[in-house]
Amino acid sequence: MTEAVARPSNATTLLFFAGAVIALSHLANEWVKLEQPWGPTWKAAGIVVLGLYALSQRAWLAGWGLLFSSAGDVLLELDGLFVFGMAAFGIAHICYAFAFVNLIRRDGPNIGAWPMAMGVLGISIVLGVWLAPGMGALTAPALVYQLVISLMVMLALLSKAPLLARVGAVLFMLSDT
């Protein structure tokens, strides 16, 4: 089943731009340096609004992915909740992966992207082997997370999603690496 996309109204367009402005405004926290939980909350606020925008457009998987990503942003920053933040991001990437699967089912695969997808798999394996010895207690959750994000990126590349979505998936993986 594919996600239906609603026609944006003025209110939902405003919601989108408000989310984007709030998300971008967090860059100012490099200078403001708000303490916990306010800095992470500010960071997540724009993503929450963008998630609500996606849900308003009936992009259910993308919307839920954004909401779980915002929870991950907050949880990663709070003492003792790092693994829960990683789990929230993992759930977000599963949502995104299913969204890409739906696009592949609807539009067919982007056959020309197979070499890039296999490149992501190869790089992911090499990184996992290289980083695993130093992960300690985080080895299992980190490797599961790496598997999930690698799969999501491979599906993004293999889909005929808009270029911005595919580039965003790759950039997300690069930033996490």
Side-chain angles (χ1 to χ4, degrees):
M1 185 166 149
T2 61
E3 294 184 45
V5 178
R7 185 178 178 92
S9 68
N10 287 341
T12 57
T13 300
L14 181 61
L15 190 63
F16 172 80
F17 284 111
V21 167
I22 294 167
L24 287 171
S25 75
H26 179 262
L27 295 173
N29 197 38
E30 288 299 312
W31 297 283
V32 177
K33 305 241 187 257
L34 290 178
E35 296 294 321
Q36 290 184 4
W38 305 114
T41 302
W42 182 7
K43 181 178 183 182
I47 305 305
V48 167
V49 175
L50 289 172
L52 294 175
Y53 169 78
L55 292 173
S56 78
Q57 299 306 295
R58 296 187 202 121
W60 308 115
L61 291 167
W64 282 108
L66 288 164
L67 294 176
F68 276 107
S69 289
S70 65
D73 274 333
V74 173
L75 292 169
L76 285 178
E77 299 293 326
L78 299 177
D79 292 335
L81 299 178
F82 184 85
V83 172
F84 293 102
M86 193 184 317
F89 272 115
I91 293 168
H93 292 309
I94 290 169
C95 290
Y96 302 142
F98 276 109
F100 291 125
V101 165
N102 286 342
L103 288 173
I104 292 168
R105 284 183 183 157
R106 186 186 73 195
D107 303 333
N110 179 2
I111 301 297
W114 275 105
M116 288 184 290
M118 292 302 103
V120 167
L121 178 61
I123 290 168
S124 181
I125 290 168
V126 169
L127 281 171
V129 169
W130 181 51
L131 294 173
M135 287 188 210
L138 289 176
T139 301
L143 290 176
V144 168
Y145 177 78
Q146 181 179 354
L147 174 68
V148 169
I149 194 170
S150 298
L151 178 63
M152 183 274 298
V153 172
M154 292 170 67
L155 288 167
L157 293 171
L158 292 170
S159 77
K160 294 178 181 172
L163 180 61
L164 190 58
R166 290 180 281 148
V167 169
V170 171
L171 289 176
F172 207 124
M173 186 175 187
L174 288 173
S175 73
D176 279 10
T177 299

